[in-house]
């Protein structure tokens, strides 16, 4: 896939390539300088110990050594009186070029002759000590191996913290991104696929290439999905492009420039607020959550207008993966359960791509919804704020009414069955009331924004 370019973006950041080149040169100079210092400070570096199989002498050699025990001893070196008589010191070797990181060869294809995809996977997984819980995260990560081998995905895994909190995610992605941008265009990855460690890959028949934008959307560099709390940054795509470098830099520096804005979900919220800005939002698109960020089914809230379709993108057999945020201490056991399912019921989950509706659904999305991302996001956030304000008020009223119904039922000495019936009647009343209140609030907001003309009253004849 050809890497897209945004002319307006490049115009504002025309010095981007110069900055990258200068940064690379400075790093190379520092690396080389540091290497020379090490040679000067330690002219005879100690080689790391290597465990090798000892060479066993043949019987004739053993007998000869016993007869002349000093034969194999090395004579002590005598320093020459005149430095000029000393043998010339070997010139220090030029530092070997090293990539910022290598992909994990335990779960990725490696070696000559392998055909690699233009998409690379990234994640991070580290902990202070191995426990019965950490093993399941490791098994979930190993579960990517078949997928990686089948489609040629390099899998980069961060195994230690770079910066505090989970900001190491952006730092790690940026390091891989810069590594790829430093390569010739034809040798680069084209997309980076980030995934958190708390997910299980469920269908290795689904290629990641299925989810990246088609050619006519070459201006899209960031592919993400919302859940009911806004952006979920547990899984997303990022194009290998200079735009992504500036974007990640903006994410990592967000708190420095906006210290007055508390981040509800740390770096995830910084990403969310940035892509709500025109500068970053026009190069980002939100796709259906089920594509590559499906959740375990927590149920559906039936107190929201059904036309809002206000639900998580829940996992269905045949989907690529299942993501498990918010499951807290139970998460390792839940991961174990899903790993067991995909192992024991493989035919149920490992469905061939041709037998799914993925291609049809994704094609329809790019032909329709993708062209209205701004409008769709405006609708999403309008409803989100209405739910926070009006929905919370309605929920509080319902709780008070339920508590009162339970008190009256106890006072009247009703049986548990009758009490439950009274409570259910109250809940149903407030469910209908809440849906009506949410609809009214949305209509009022649309009128306020000038998106809905108030109809003139009709005159009866």
């Amino acid at each position: 896939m050809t890497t897209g370019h945004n002319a307006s973006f490049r115009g504002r950041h025309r010095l981007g390539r110069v900055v990258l080149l200068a940064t690379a040169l400075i790093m190379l100079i520092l690396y080389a300088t540091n290497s020379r210092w090490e040679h000067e400070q330690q002219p005879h570096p100690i080689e790391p110990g290597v465990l090798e199989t000892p060479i066993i002498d043949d019987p004739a050699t053993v007998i000869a050594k016993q007869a002349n025990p000093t034969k194999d001893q090395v004579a002590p070196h005598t320093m020459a009186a005149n430095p000029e008589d000393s043998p010339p010191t070997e010139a220090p070797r030029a530092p070997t070029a090293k990539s910022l990181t290598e992909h994990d060869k335990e779960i990725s294809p490696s070696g000559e002759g392998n055909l690699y995809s233009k998409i690379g996977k990234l994640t991070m997984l580290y902990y202070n000590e191995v426990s019965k819980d950490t093993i399941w995260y490791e098994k979930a990560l190993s579960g990517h191996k078949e997928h990686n081998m089948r489609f040629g995905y390099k899998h980069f895994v961060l195994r230690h913290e770079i910066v505090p909190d989970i900001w190491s995610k952006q730092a790690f992605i940026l390091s891989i991104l810069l590594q790829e941008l430093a390569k010739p265009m034809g040798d680069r990855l084209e997309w980076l696929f980030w995934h958190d460690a708390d997910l299980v890959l469920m269908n290795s028949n689904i290629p990641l290439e299925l989810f990246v934008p088609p050619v006519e959307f070459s201006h899209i560099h960031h592919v993400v999905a919302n859940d009911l709390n806004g952006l979920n940054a547990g899984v997303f795509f990022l194009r290998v492009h200079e735009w992504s470098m500036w974007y990640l830099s903006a994410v990592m520096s967000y708190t420095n420039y906006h210290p007055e804005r508390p981040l509800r979900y740390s770096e995830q919220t910084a990403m969310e607020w940035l892509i709500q800005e025109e500068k970053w939002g026009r190069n980002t698109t939100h796709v259906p959550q089920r594509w590559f960020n499906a959740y375990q089914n927590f149920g559906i809230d039936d107190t929201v207008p059904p036309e809002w379709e206000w639900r998580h993108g829940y996992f269905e057999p045949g989907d690529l993966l299942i993501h498990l945020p918010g499951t807290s201490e139970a998460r390792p056991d839940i991961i174990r359960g899903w790993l067991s399912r995909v192992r024991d019921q493989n035919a149920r989950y490992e469905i061939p791509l041709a037998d799914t509706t993925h291609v049809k659904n994704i094609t329809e999305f790019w032909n329709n919804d993708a062209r209205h991302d701004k409008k769709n996001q405006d609708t999403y956030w309008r409803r989100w704020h209405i739910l926070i304000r009006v929905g919370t008020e309605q929920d509080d009223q319902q709780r008070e009414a339920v508590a009162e119904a339970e008190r009256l039922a106890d006072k009247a000495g009703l049986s548990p069955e009758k009490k439950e019936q009274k409570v259910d009647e109250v809940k149903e009343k407030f469910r209908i009331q809440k849906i009506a209140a949410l609809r009214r609030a949305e209509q009022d907001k649309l009128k306020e924004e000038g998106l809905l003309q108030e109809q003139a009253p009709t005159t009866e004849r």
Side-chain angles (χ1 to χ4, degrees):
M1 180 177 293
T2 304
T3 303
H5 298 276
N6 185 321
S8 61
F9 178 85
R10 290 175 60 84
R12 291 193 302 275
H13 299 282
R14 57 186 179 276
L15 296 179
R17 296 187 183 279
V18 177
V19 173
L20 273 176
L21 181 59
T23 303
L25 288 173
I26 292 171
M27 291 176 65
L28 182 60
I29 292 170
L30 290 174
Y31 190 108
T33 305
N34 185 56
S35 299
R36 293 192 185 96
W37 287 343
E38 290 177 353
H39 277 284
E40 292 170 2
Q41 294 171 356
Q42 190 173 327
H44 302 290
I46 299 174
E47 294 294 332
V50 179
L51 183 62
E52 297 179 341
T53 303
I55 299 175
I56 306 299
D57 292 328
D58 60 271
T61 304
V62 172
I63 294 173
K65 285 184 176 181
Q66 290 175 347
N68 186 6
T70 62
K71 181 179 179 180
D72 288 340
Q73 293 181 3
V74 179
H77 174 70
T78 304
M79 183 176 292
N82 187 349
E84 295 180 358
D85 295 335
S86 302
T89 303
E90 183 180 354
R93 297 179 182 178
T96 304
K98 298 179 180 179
S99 61
L100 292 173
T101 184
E102 292 287 341
H103 65 278
D104 190 325
K105 295 179 175 59
E106 294 295 323
I107 57 174
S108 307
S110 61
E112 296 182 2
N114 283 290
L115 294 177
Y116 293 107
S117 168
K118 285 294 187 178
I119 299 177
K121 292 184 182 180
L122 287 75
T123 191
M124 62 183 186
L125 179 58
Y126 48 84
Y127 31 81
N128 294 327
E129 60 182 18
V130 177
S131 69
K132 63 181 180 63
D133 291 337
T134 59
I135 189 64
W136 295 110
Y137 289 98
E138 294 290 349
K139 286 182 178 292
L141 180 59
S142 298
H144 286 260
K145 183 173 183 177
E146 181 181 350
H147 192 233
N148 295 342
M149 295 299 182
R150 178 173 297 177
F151 295 107
Y153 300 129
K154 293 181 178 179
H155 208 147
F156 301 86
V157 184
L158 178 64
R159 287 294 188 171
H160 59 84
E161 185 179 76
I162 299 176
V163 290
D165 202 10
I166 56 176
W167 293 87
S168 289
K169 175 195 293 190
Q170 277 69 28
F172 181 49
I173 299 172
L174 182 58
S175 71
I176 301 297
L177 177 68
L178 291 173
Q179 174 179 275
E180 294 302 315
L181 287 173
K183 296 177 181 178
M185 187 74 74
D187 296 340
R188 297 177 185 174
L189 294 172
E190 293 183 358
W191 286 91
L192 303 179
F193 175 73
W194 172 268
H195 71 87
D196 285 354
D198 59 341
L199 59 78
V200 177
L201 195 131
M202 298 295 293
N203 190 354
S204 60
N205 293 313
I206 308 299
L208 296 178
E209 285 78 0
L210 186 66
F211 306 114
V212 298
V215 175
E216 57 266 36
F217 288 88
S218 60
H219 66 288
I220 296 298
H221 305 316
H222 196 19
V223 182
V224 299
N226 284 347
D227 61 19
L228 297 188
N229 290 311
L231 173 71
N232 180 270
V235 192
F236 59 85
F237 284 87
L238 198 62
R239 193 191 292 271
V240 176
H241 189 278
E242 62 184 89
W243 180 95
S244 302
M245 178 194 71
W246 294 114
Y247 170 66
L248 289 172
S249 299
V251 172
M252 295 186 66
S253 61
Y254 195 89
T255 54
N256 292 330
Y257 292 98
H258 302 280
E260 76 288 353
R261 301 192 70 178
L263 299 179
R264 187 167 54 127
Y265 297 120
S266 191
E267 40 76 46
Q268 178 172 278
T269 301
M271 293 173 63
E272 178 179 85
W273 283 346
L274 283 172
I275 61 178
Q276 288 179 21
E277 299 176 9
E278 173 65 17
K279 177 179 180 179
W280 308 106
R282 62 171 170 260
N283 300 106
T284 301
T285 196
H286 297 74
V287 302
Q289 187 185 353
R290 255 193 66 203
W291 282 17
F292 51 75
N293 197 5
Y295 284 2
Q296 180 171 266
N297 195 329
F298 299 113
I300 296 173
D301 185 355
D302 63 355
T303 67
V304 178
E307 66 271 17
W308 286 19
E309 296 183 349
W310 199 257
R311 65 188 68 183
H312 289 297
Y314 289 134
F315 172 83
E316 295 183 16
D319 289 349
L320 173 67
L321 57 81
I322 185 165
H323 187 196
L324 303 165
T327 48
S328 191
E329 296 179 358
R331 192 176 302 162
D333 288 334
I334 296 174
I335 290 175
R336 178 175 59 181
W338 283 104
L339 287 171
S340 298
R341 291 187 195 185
V342 76
R343 180 194 64 217
D344 300 336
Q345 306 174 52
N346 188 265
R348 171 176 166 79
Y349 297 105
E350 291 264 6
I351 300 175
L353 177 61
D355 295 337
T356 71
T357 60
H358 294 324
V359 174
K360 174 179 176 292
N361 294 340
I362 290 171
T363 301
E364 289 178 353
F365 171 83
W366 291 114
N367 288 337
N368 298 292
D369 287 356
R371 304 179 188 279
H372 309 286
D373 189 69
K374 177 66 166 62
K375 178 182 177 182
N376 294 338
Q377 287 305 298
D378 287 346
T379 299
Y380 171 89
W381 285 109
R382 183 185 305 114
R383 290 172 173 174
W384 186 89
H385 286 292
I386 289 172
L387 274 169
I388 294 298
R389 178 173 55 85
V390 179
T392 301
E393 292 174 357
Q394 292 292 319
D395 290 341
D396 290 343
Q397 292 177 21
Q398 186 207 59
R399 278 190 289 271
E400 292 175 2
V402 166
E404 179 65 11
E406 290 175 338
R407 186 185 68 80
L408 293 175
D410 291 338
K411 183 178 180 180
L414 298 181
S415 66
E417 293 78 12
K418 287 289 186 180
K419 177 180 177 180
E420 183 178 359
Q421 181 181 348
K422 290 291 185 182
V423 169
D424 288 343
E425 290 174 357
V426 171
K427 288 182 178 179
E428 178 61 16
K429 172 187 174 182
F430 276 88
R431 184 186 74 83
I432 296 172
Q433 176 180 304
K434 179 180 176 181
I435 290 175
L438 292 173
R439 284 174 173 157
R440 285 195 304 272
E442 183 177 34
Q443 294 295 305
D444 292 342
K445 189 63 177 176
L446 288 171
K447 291 176 184 177
E448 179 185 323
E449 295 175 2
L451 300 175
L452 184 68
Q453 297 297 326
E454 188 170 0
Q455 295 180 352
T458 57
T459 304
E460 294 184 1
R461 295 183 179 180

